[in-house]
Amino acid sequence: MSVHKEVKKVTTHVLQEMKANGEKISMLTAYDYSLARIVDDAGIDVILVGDSASNVMAGHETTLPITLDQMIYHASSVIRAIDRALVVVDLPFGSYQGNSRSALESAIRIMKESGAHSVKLEGGSEVIESISRILSAGIPVMGHLGLTPQSIYKFGTYTVRAKEEEEAEKLIADAKLLEEKGCFALVLEKIPAKLAEKVAKEITIPIIGIGAGGGVDGQVLVLHDMLGINNEFNPRFLRKYNNLYEQIISSITSYIDDVRSSDFPNDKEQY
Ligand code: KIV
């Protein structure tokens, strides 16, 4: 019997059972009430309030500018919309690196002020003290390895990570470390499919991939990308399920035409 069909609320334990049962986990981003409600109603397992809100919602070039207060605002809007999905919230750049005490304070603020169920942060051994401290407060943590967009100025580009052996070995060691410390799941972003599959086989926590092939335990995409709202972003890993950009343009141009021609409002559309 499939685990995900039975559950009324997805928890970290449900995700673990899904992996054990060989059921793939579906995850999408959401940053606001209205879209989160649709995503949850559609039956998604996990909603990520990603720091990609910095790009998608605010139009920044990178994820670095978004603040903890802004993440809490997005997360609390999403939380008000959902009944079933597990909600994971990104700790933004600068809120956890370097100082495990402020990392814990940031995670506590997210949990208390938004009502979210868990947090995600980028990195392996470099941030392990922060991860351990957050976990020790009973806050579930999702890891994120591979392409970690908060380190874009270190990488220099958004190309595929861990193609070389040294970086692949570090990624495997970091994945094992995150599992050992108690992370409940791990995102692997833009790495070779074979490497991601190896990690998913070698560790017991669910591995959610984005641009990491089909051999992992689940997939995540940015909602606005997969709906085709943003028509400028076309990486190889992205499957577009709609072209909302075109559909929204068409609706708005019809509205403009109707207003200009005085077709809208008609007799039935007024008091
Ligand atoms: O912020 C985000 O949307 C993410 C996903 C790309 C995994 O971290």
Side-chain angles (χ1 to χ4, degrees), residues 29 31 48 50-52 90 120 122 144 187 189 210 220 222:
T29 61
Y31 319 106
L48 171 65
D51 59 357
S52 50
D90 266 336
K120 172 165 87 58
E122 297 180 5
H144 184 157
V187 166
E189 181 165 353
I210 173 163
V220 56
V222 169

Side-chain angles (χ1 to χ4, degrees), residues 20-83:
N21 223 22
E23 281 174 51
K24 299 275 185 177
I25 297 163
S26 60
M27 171 161 147
L28 280 172
T29 61
Y31 319 106
D32 68 279
Y33 176 86
S34 301
L35 284 177
R37 186 148 203 138
I38 298 173
V39 174
D40 191 54
D41 285 350
I44 204 79
D45 298 312
V46 184
I47 292 182
L48 171 65
V49 184
D51 59 357
S52 50
S54 179
N55 314 102
V56 177
M57 293 281 102
H60 292 296
E61 210 171 293
T62 72
T63 56
L64 275 64
I66 199 161
T67 66
L68 186 57
D69 283 337
Q70 288 164 341
M71 288 305 297
I72 290 168
Y73 167 77
H74 287 298
S76 49
S77 308
V78 167
I79 281 288
R80 282 192 285 274
I82 59 107
D83 288 325

Side-chain angles (χ1 to χ4, degrees), residues 169-212:
E169 274 169 17
K170 156 109 171 86
L171 186 141
I172 293 170
D174 278 343
K176 289 185 174 164
L177 182 63
L178 296 184
E179 174 188 38
E180 182 197 312
K181 292 293 172 188
C183 287
F184 74 91
L186 178 56
V187 166
L188 292 181
E189 181 165 353
K190 232 176 167 186
I191 63 167
K194 278 204 175 123
L195 174 61
E197 186 172 3
K198 181 175 157 68
V199 175
K201 283 202 174 120
E202 286 186 12
I203 74 175
T204 57
I205 58 173
I207 304 295
I208 315 290
I210 173 163

Side-chain angles (χ1 to χ4, degrees), residues 206-227:
I207 304 295
I208 315 290
I210 173 163
V216 290
D217 308 304
Q219 299 292 328
V220 56
L221 285 175
V222 169
L223 182 67
H224 292 65
D225 296 340
M226 60 85 80
L227 292 178

Side-chain angles (χ1 to χ4, degrees), residues 95-160:
S95 72
Y96 63 92
Q97 296 96 335
N99 180 339
S100 65
R101 191 188 167 131
S102 65
L104 176 60
E105 281 166 7
S106 306
I108 287 176
R109 277 201 62 205
I110 287 180
M111 301 296 282
K112 245 186 201 302
E113 295 176 37
S114 75
H117 311 135
S118 58
V119 298
K120 172 165 87 58
L121 54 87
E122 297 180 5
S125 55
E126 319 76 30
V127 290
I128 207 65
E129 227 181 280
S130 295
I131 290 177
S132 299
R133 201 151 178 177
I134 296 168
L135 284 166
S136 72
I139 299 172
V141 176
M142 177 181 270
H144 184 157
L145 299 172
L147 176 65
T148 47
Q150 292 180 11
S151 305
I152 184 58
Y153 290 116
K154 181 174 135 199
F155 296 148
T157 70
Y158 286 102
T159 52
V160 180

